[in-house]
Amino acid sequence: MKASYLIIISVLIFNLNAVAQSGTFAKVYSTFQTSCSYVYCHSNITQAGNLNLEGAGFTDADRMNDVYNNLYNKSPKNTYASRKGYKLVSPGDPYASFLFRKAHGNLKGDDLVLHPDEGDAMPQHGIALENKEAEIIRQWILYGAPKDGEVVDTSLIGRFYREGGIVSANEPPKAPEEGKGFQIHLGPFFLAPKAEIEFFSKYDTRLKTNIEVKEIDAYMGKGYSHHFILFRYKDSDKNLQPWGLRKDNAHMNTEMVSAHQQSEAIPLPPGTAFPWNAGSYLDLNTHYINYSTTKVLAAEVYVNVYTQPAGTAKQVMYSSLIANTSIFIPNDKKEHTFTDYFLAENSYLWAITSHTHKYGKDYDVYFAEKDGKLGEQIFEGSCKNGIPGCMSTNYDYQHPPVRKFSPFLPIKSQTGNRRIAHVAKYVNNGAKPVTFGATSDDEMMVLLAMYVKDTTGLGEAALGSGKLPSGAHLQLSANVFPNPFSQTTNIAFRSTKPGKFTLVITDAAGRTIYTEAGTSTAGVNQLTVTLADLPKGLYIYNLLLGNGAKATGKISKL
């Protein structure tokens, strides 16, 4: 009987240890025991740097729990690391985790180079960690450093380092000089061949004073990253979201700062900036697709944030993301157009761009009348730099243009906020209908804009005359209907005074197929154009007034 009790107790202890050894942290803890818990290093006997990586307790579960509590979100004894705001394990941020910085093995990166005051790399009395071992520690931290659960696919990591994978950000940028900004490094995280993922991750800026952000540069893997969006929490509540990579897109009281659909620098216009308070928290949103059929992808994003002292800028730069989620696109290979209206507050528009997925074929933005008629076109998704009037019909959904207005475009009206319409076209040649959604197999209709609410102190470069410029902005009062048309269409425009006009319509190759000249009256003018003999297709109209004002746009013949 006594022997039976011993067997039962042994089985229970074995099972407790088996449970304790499951999960990603168990693998990390095992690495500590193999490489760090020497009798002369971080053991119960000798705790170098006051750090015990062996752990106290009778069972493995006890010892693991003790080590975890010694590490998670705990300040290091190293003075330099503590002053920088690092933790021994900073959940979600390996590069602010002193433990990983010291024990990253042979993994490379400028943000892993130790400052002389951080001391030597670890382990000092043994062989450096293998890449896979060090990577598992990094991934565990990146996913929030949980005590329990399997959060890292170690088979992908092994495959990446064994077979060789794709490094998405193979030429990361240098970080801003100290005192002039800081760098955010999200990743790497690993995607299997043909896999896709969109992650969010809360980020602690560790700002000790209020600052202003004057430029944001994002660097991503060309051809693999779908987008990166930077959000900022409106307060510093640490409970807004858990640490680490997450799929939950609930932002809970955030504001968009910048959106990037490719690697790019966004320097704000002189005199403008994003104000960030001390202790600001960000939400980092990245979307990656691995198009390879054979190789594992290491996906990551670098963001350089350039700063200046608080109170330097004259005006605050604002950002907005306007989405039309009510889209349904049948897979009938036909073109479907969606128009969405919203009221824009009285402001001054600096930049505007669009976002769709693979079925997007065009994206345009207009001022709109109260009755819904489209007026001035202010963005053309098929044209370089987003400026209406080009001959191109090619909308590149992966790299849509960004239109920047210099001077800023006033969004004003005498009766209050201005109505704006964004119009998107899609052709679904896929296997099933699609609706609004986050994956590349879904679709999106999203408008992104950056603007200021006042131009005081920005000078003529930002404001100009304070009036809409002539020339390219006559579209404010131009409208084409019906469009598309079968035989006859009308072009209506508003002229402030009588004067000469010339209408020229060209085909996609630039050949002139219709001209008309005459005299406009003050007020609304309407031209009726009969083009019954034209073949089906897309055409461009250019309407020029005698004072140099111009309207241009597309018309389609059915």
Side-chain angles (χ1 to χ4, degrees), residues 203-217:
Y203 181 84
D204 184 357
T205 63
R206 297 178 179 82
L207 290 173
K208 294 180 174 60
T209 61
N210 297 347
I211 54 93
E212 292 177 351
V213 175
K214 62 179 181 179
E215 180 175 342
I216 297 177
D217 302 351

Side-chain angles (χ1 to χ4, degrees), residues 12 45 141 188 216 231 243 257 300 369 498 519:
L12 287 173
I45 300 174
I141 297 172
I216 297 177
F231 296 90
W243 294 111
V257 179
E300 53 193 326
E369 305 297 336
T519 301

Side-chain angles (χ1 to χ4, degrees), residues 326-342:
S326 301
I327 56 175
F328 173 83
I329 310 167
N331 56 323
D332 56 6
K333 299 181 176 60
K334 296 180 180 179
E335 184 174 270
H336 295 268
T337 301
F338 299 88
T339 302
D340 186 45
Y341 300 89
F342 64 94

Side-chain angles (χ1 to χ4, degrees), residues 86 93-96 100-101 104 108-114 118 138 175 183-187 300 302:
Y86 297 160
D93 191 351
Y95 311 101
F100 178 67
R101 295 181 61 78
H104 62 265
K108 305 299 182 183
D110 289 348
D111 48 5
L112 290 177
V113 176
L114 290 170
E118 291 183 88
R138 173 160 61 179
Q183 185 176 85
I184 301 169
H185 182 186
L186 177 61
E300 53 193 326
Y302 289 84

Side-chain angles (χ1 to χ4, degrees), residues 135 138-139 142-143 152-153 156-157 160-161 166 188-192 195 197 199 245 290 296-299:
E135 190 63 75
R138 173 160 61 179
Q139 294 299 303
L142 190 65
Y143 280 84
V152 177
D153 188 341
L156 279 183
I157 296 174
F160 178 86
Y161 286 107
I166 302 167
F189 51 89
F190 296 90
L191 271 73
I197 196 72
F199 276 132
L245 295 175
N290 185 359
V296 175
L297 172 69

